[in-house]
Amino acid sequence: PGSSVDTCPTCPLSCSQRVGQGGEQRFPKKEVRSDLRDIFDKSGQIPREILHDDKYFVPFKLTFRERTHTRENRFQGKYYESLGEYKTRFDLRPIRNIIVRQNSSDDDSAIYEIFNRLNSGGVNLRPQEIRASLYHSAFYDMLHHINADPAWRRLVGRAEPDLHGKDLEILLRGFAMLEDGDNYAPSMIKFLNQFSLKRKKTKPENNEYLENLFKSFLHACSDLPDNVFFTERSRRFNIALYDAVFSVVCRSAFSNKQLIDGKIEARSVRNLEVDSHFIAATRYGTTKTVNVKTRMERAKTLIKMI
């Protein structure tokens, strides 16, 4: 408690690689975690030369924000091999495990809620971080891959993926609305959880198709301005605008297992953003079924392809 040791629920490294068992004692830098994921996906591991490259990893040492009374914390700057007399105590410290199994219902709602409550103290995990831990799959690997696409980074307005998975949630929500939007019912968290659980059973060829479909969507956006999905006033990414445009533009191609042909007309996106009905459906109760359906209907009416 009180340590500044970082955590990364979506990091590809195993716990032993992160804390450095076997004398490694290295920890991945935040800003290169997307690069490490690519390296891990290609080789199935983190090569030793990468593990010892200071560009990617730093020494794993405990850092405490506050002193203990008037003295510096005795564990300040320590790592496993330098624990001294406390090393044996550390090795003998029991780690208790509780196995949670949901016997009824097939949506894992109870498991998600328990996991959420257990991780709501200390440094809180965001819903997508919890979701990524519970529903990790080949589909989620595909999301991580397309999240690093430069064309997508341009649209989302950040060079590096968000540490807490906010951009992953945007991608997830777009695919969920595309496939199951007609059956949407609140809450959004539950809706995305159910879709993530469903996608755990996706066949590899389906994930490959979804990746190619998304790339064709990016091509359809290639003539749009960088800030096309950002609100004019707050300059924040407008998730409701994005998932409405994404699901409507992809729908016909998705239904026929084809790719998108053509480009999105920039003026039509702007027309949707300032449409009074669309705005009303984004101001209050944005995840209510009626508002979600209204946004989709307005997108169907206003978004044009050229």
Side-chain angles (χ1 to χ4, degrees):
S3 171
S4 64
V5 173
D6 196 10
T7 57
C8 180
T10 59
C11 182
L13 304 179
S14 68
C15 291
S16 63
Q17 286 176 303
R18 278 191 246 168
V19 302
Q21 285 183 0
E24 303 296 352
Q25 298 168 28
R26 307 282 283 172
F27 199 89
K29 291 183 176 180
K30 292 181 181 180
E31 62 271 18
V32 297
R33 283 176 179 168
S34 60
D35 296 333
L36 289 173
R37 178 170 288 279
D38 290 337
I39 294 171
F40 185 85
D41 289 342
K42 291 177 182 178
S43 62
Q45 61 180 344
I46 300 298
R48 183 168 293 275
E49 60 270 20
I50 298 295
L51 190 62
H52 289 278
D53 189 336
D54 290 340
K55 174 184 174 182
Y56 297 100
F57 287 84
V58 295
F60 184 85
K61 295 182 179 181
L62 293 173
T63 303
F64 293 85
R65 296 186 181 93
E66 299 177 357
R67 291 172 176 265
T68 303
H69 302 296
T70 59
R71 296 177 296 131
E72 187 173 69
N73 193 296
R74 72 184 68 181
F75 297 110
Q76 179 71 24
K78 297 288 186 181
Y79 49 94
Y80 178 71
E81 292 296 337
S82 64
L83 285 176
E85 61 180 294
Y86 295 100
K87 188 176 178 182
T88 301
R89 298 187 194 181
F90 181 84
D91 290 339
L92 296 177
R93 177 70 62 177
I95 299 177
R96 293 177 173 81
N97 296 283
I98 299 176
I99 299 175
V100 179
R101 182 173 58 191
Q102 184 165 322
N103 293 321
S104 61
S105 181
D106 58 359
D107 62 1
D108 282 351
S109 57
I111 293 178
Y112 181 91
E113 181 61 27
I114 292 172
F115 194 88
N116 179 39
R117 295 187 184 191
L118 290 174
N119 287 279
S120 295
V123 178
N124 293 349
L125 294 182
R126 311 291 173 81
Q128 183 57 33
E129 292 177 296
I130 298 174
R131 194 176 293 121
S133 298
L134 289 179
Y135 304 114
H136 183 264
S137 62
F139 172 72
Y140 264 70
D141 289 337
M142 184 274 292
L143 290 184
H144 279 285
H145 182 66
I146 63 176
N147 192 38
D149 191 301
W152 167 244
R153 302 315 311 169
R154 177 183 77 87
L155 292 178
V156 82
R158 292 187 60 173
E160 296 294 331
D162 182 73
L163 183 61
H164 301 291
K166 184 176 181 180
D167 37 20
L168 282 175
E169 187 170 70
I170 294 172
L171 291 170
L172 174 66
R173 180 165 154 170
F175 281 116
M177 285 298 176
L178 169 63
E179 185 170 339
D180 293 336
D182 291 339
N183 301 315
Y184 170 79
S187 69
M188 182 62 71
I189 289 178
K190 183 178 180 180
F191 176 68
L192 295 181
N193 289 350
Q194 291 173 337
F195 182 75
S196 297
L197 178 61
K198 173 183 175 182
R199 276 295 170 187
K200 289 185 72 172
K201 303 176 182 178
T202 303
K203 296 180 180 179
E205 57 268 27
N206 289 336
N207 288 327
E208 183 179 358
Y209 166 70
L210 290 177
E211 180 173 350
N212 290 330
L213 176 65
F214 181 75
K215 289 180 178 179
S216 72
F217 172 77
L218 292 178
H219 178 72
C221 294
S222 58
D223 292 340
L224 300 179
D226 293 354
N227 60 354
V228 65
F229 293 116
F230 284 73
T231 57
E232 280 199 344
R233 290 185 178 181
S234 66
R235 308 310 306 157
R236 297 177 63 182
F237 192 88
N238 190 335
I239 301 177
L241 178 64
Y242 166 77
D243 62 35
V245 173
F246 176 79
S247 59
V248 167
V249 169
C250 295
R251 180 151 300 186
S252 177
F254 179 74
S255 298
N256 297 293
K257 289 296 180 283
Q258 298 174 345
L259 302 180
I260 300 169
D261 184 23
K263 301 287 186 70
I264 302 172
E265 184 185 69
R267 184 183 302 176
S268 69
V269 180
R270 174 60 179 162
N271 290 340
L272 177 62
E273 182 185 5
V274 299
D275 178 72
S276 60
H277 298 289
F278 185 85
I279 292 174
T282 59
R283 282 186 172 171
Y284 305 103
T286 57
T287 60
K288 288 184 177 180
T289 302
V290 63
N291 287 333
V292 170
K293 292 187 179 297
T294 295
R295 294 198 298 267
M296 298 302 165
E297 289 300 323
R298 297 309 295 162
K300 290 178 185 177
T301 302
L302 296 174
I303 295 299
K304 308 295 182 184
M305 302 291 292
I306 55 177

